[in-house]
Amino acid sequence: MDLKPYFKKAELIPAIVVDDENGDVLMLAYMNEESLRRTMETGYTWFWSRSRQELWNKGATSGHTQKVVSITADCDDDALLVRVHQKGPACHTGSRSCFFKPLWQENKD
Protein backbone atom coordinates (compact mmCIF):
# COMPACT_ATOMS: atom_id res chain seq x y z
CA MET A 1 0.00 0.00 0.00
CA ASP A 2 1.27 3.46 -0.89
CA LEU A 3 1.47 5.50 2.31
CA LYS A 4 3.11 8.57 0.75
CA PRO A 5 -0.18 10.53 0.42
CA TYR A 6 -0.38 10.71 4.21
CA PHE A 7 3.04 12.33 4.45
CA LYS A 8 2.74 15.00 1.74
CA LYS A 9 2.33 17.83 4.27
CA ALA A 10 4.84 16.64 6.86
CA GLU A 11 7.12 13.76 7.79
CA LEU A 12 5.00 13.04 10.87
CA ILE A 13 1.26 12.51 11.15
CA PRO A 14 -0.67 12.74 14.44
CA ALA A 15 -2.27 9.47 15.51
CA ILE A 16 -5.17 9.67 17.95
CA VAL A 17 -5.39 6.34 19.77
CA VAL A 18 -8.87 5.31 20.95
CA ASP A 19 -10.04 2.33 23.00
CA ASP A 20 -12.19 0.25 20.64
CA GLU A 21 -14.32 -1.10 23.48
CA ASN A 22 -15.57 2.20 24.94
CA GLY A 23 -14.35 5.00 22.65
CA ASP A 24 -12.09 6.60 25.27
CA VAL A 25 -9.26 8.67 23.85
CA LEU A 26 -6.12 7.03 25.21
CA MET A 27 -3.27 9.05 23.75
CA LEU A 28 -1.90 11.16 20.93
CA ALA A 29 1.34 10.12 19.31
CA TYR A 30 3.06 10.68 15.98
CA MET A 31 3.79 8.29 13.14
CA ASN A 32 6.19 8.52 10.27
CA GLU A 33 5.87 6.36 7.18
CA GLU A 34 7.97 3.55 8.65
CA SER A 35 6.07 3.39 11.96
CA LEU A 36 2.73 3.36 10.12
CA ARG A 37 3.98 0.56 7.89
CA ARG A 38 5.22 -1.46 10.89
CA THR A 39 1.90 -0.92 12.64
CA MET A 40 0.05 -2.28 9.62
CA GLU A 41 2.45 -5.22 9.24
CA THR A 42 2.49 -6.29 12.91
CA GLY A 43 -1.01 -5.32 14.05
CA TYR A 44 0.47 -3.46 17.05
CA THR A 45 1.15 0.27 17.35
CA TRP A 46 4.51 1.75 16.43
CA PHE A 47 5.22 5.45 16.76
CA TRP A 48 7.99 7.96 16.15
CA SER A 49 9.39 9.45 19.35
CA ARG A 50 10.02 13.14 18.74
CA SER A 51 12.10 13.43 21.91
CA ARG A 52 14.29 10.36 21.35
CA GLN A 53 14.23 10.58 17.55
CA GLU A 54 13.55 6.85 17.14
CA LEU A 55 10.81 4.35 16.47
CA TRP A 56 9.09 2.79 19.45
CA ASN A 57 6.69 -0.09 19.75
CA LYS A 58 4.06 0.85 22.35
CA GLY A 59 4.19 -1.61 25.23
CA ALA A 60 7.36 -3.44 24.16
CA THR A 61 8.98 -2.61 27.49
CA SER A 62 5.97 -2.21 29.81
CA GLY A 63 3.76 -4.94 28.37
CA HIS A 64 0.97 -2.37 27.91
CA THR A 65 0.44 -3.19 24.26
CA GLN A 66 -2.07 -1.84 21.79
CA LYS A 67 -3.56 -4.39 19.37
CA VAL A 68 -4.83 -2.45 16.38
CA VAL A 69 -8.44 -2.93 15.32
CA SER A 70 -8.55 -0.28 12.60
CA ILE A 71 -6.79 2.80 11.25
CA THR A 72 -8.81 5.59 9.64
CA ALA A 73 -7.50 8.76 7.99
CA ASP A 74 -9.28 12.08 8.36
CA CYS A 75 -10.75 13.97 5.39
CA ASP A 76 -7.47 15.80 4.66
CA ASP A 77 -5.25 12.72 5.07
CA ASP A 78 -3.22 14.53 7.75
CA ALA A 79 -4.37 12.78 10.94
CA LEU A 80 -5.10 9.19 11.87
CA LEU A 81 -7.61 7.59 14.22
CA VAL A 82 -6.22 4.30 15.55
CA ARG A 83 -8.72 2.05 17.31
CA VAL A 84 -7.05 -0.47 19.62
CA HIS A 85 -7.53 -3.12 22.26
CA GLN A 86 -5.46 -1.66 25.08
CA LYS A 87 -3.66 -3.97 27.51
CA GLY A 88 -2.98 -2.14 30.78
CA PRO A 89 -2.62 1.64 31.03
CA ALA A 90 -1.88 3.62 27.89
CA CYS A 91 -0.03 6.47 29.60
CA HIS A 92 3.58 6.24 30.75
CA THR A 93 2.40 7.74 34.08
CA GLY A 94 0.34 4.63 34.78
CA SER A 95 -2.99 6.29 33.96
CA ARG A 96 -5.40 4.50 31.65
CA SER A 97 -5.46 7.54 29.36
CA CYS A 98 -2.92 10.31 28.80
CA PHE A 99 -5.81 12.79 29.04
CA PHE A 100 -6.40 13.16 32.78
CA LYS A 101 -5.39 16.77 33.57
CA PRO A 102 -8.49 19.01 33.71
CA LEU A 103 -7.84 22.37 32.07
CA TRP A 104 -11.25 23.94 31.53
CA GLN A 105 -14.91 22.98 31.74
CA GLU A 106 -18.04 24.88 30.87
CA ASN A 107 -19.75 26.49 33.86
CA LYS A 108 -23.35 25.20 33.82
CA ASP A 109 -24.73 27.98 36.03
Side-chain angles (χ1 to χ4, degrees):
M1 175 177 204
D2 182 19
L3 301 177
K4 293 195 186 325
Y6 303 101
F7 300 94
K8 284 182 182 178
K9 296 177 185 174
E11 291 181 18
L12 298 177
I13 188 169
I16 303 159
V17 181
V18 175
D19 188 319
D20 188 58
E21 293 177 25
N22 58 24
D24 287 350
V25 177
L26 299 174
M27 58 184 283
L28 169 72
Y30 292 88
M31 291 183 162
N32 63 9
E33 189 172 344
E34 184 177 352
S35 63
L36 179 55
R37 186 171 311 286
R38 283 191 190 192
T39 297
M40 294 169 72
E41 289 171 354
T42 66
Y44 288 88
T45 54
W46 284 79
F47 301 108
W48 178 256
S49 170
R50 297 181 302 163
S51 59
R52 295 187 314 264
Q53 293 291 295
E54 65 183 15
L55 290 172
W56 59 283
N57 177 219
K58 178 68 177 156
T61 303
S62 67
H64 303 151
T65 57
Q66 296 174 333
K67 176 70 173 135
V68 178
V69 174
S70 66
I71 303 172
T72 307
D74 77 337
C75 59
D76 295 323
D77 291 336
D78 61 5
L80 300 174
L81 181 65
V82 183
R83 299 189 71 85
V84 301
H85 289 298
Q86 178 69 44
K87 181 179 175 184
C91 187
H92 73 281
T93 66
S95 292
R96 172 125 177 91
S97 168
C98 292
F99 294 94
F100 60 87
K101 296 179 176 182
L103 182 63
W104 182 86
Q105 185 171 343
E106 177 186 16
N107 185 348
K108 301 203 182 213
D109 292 339

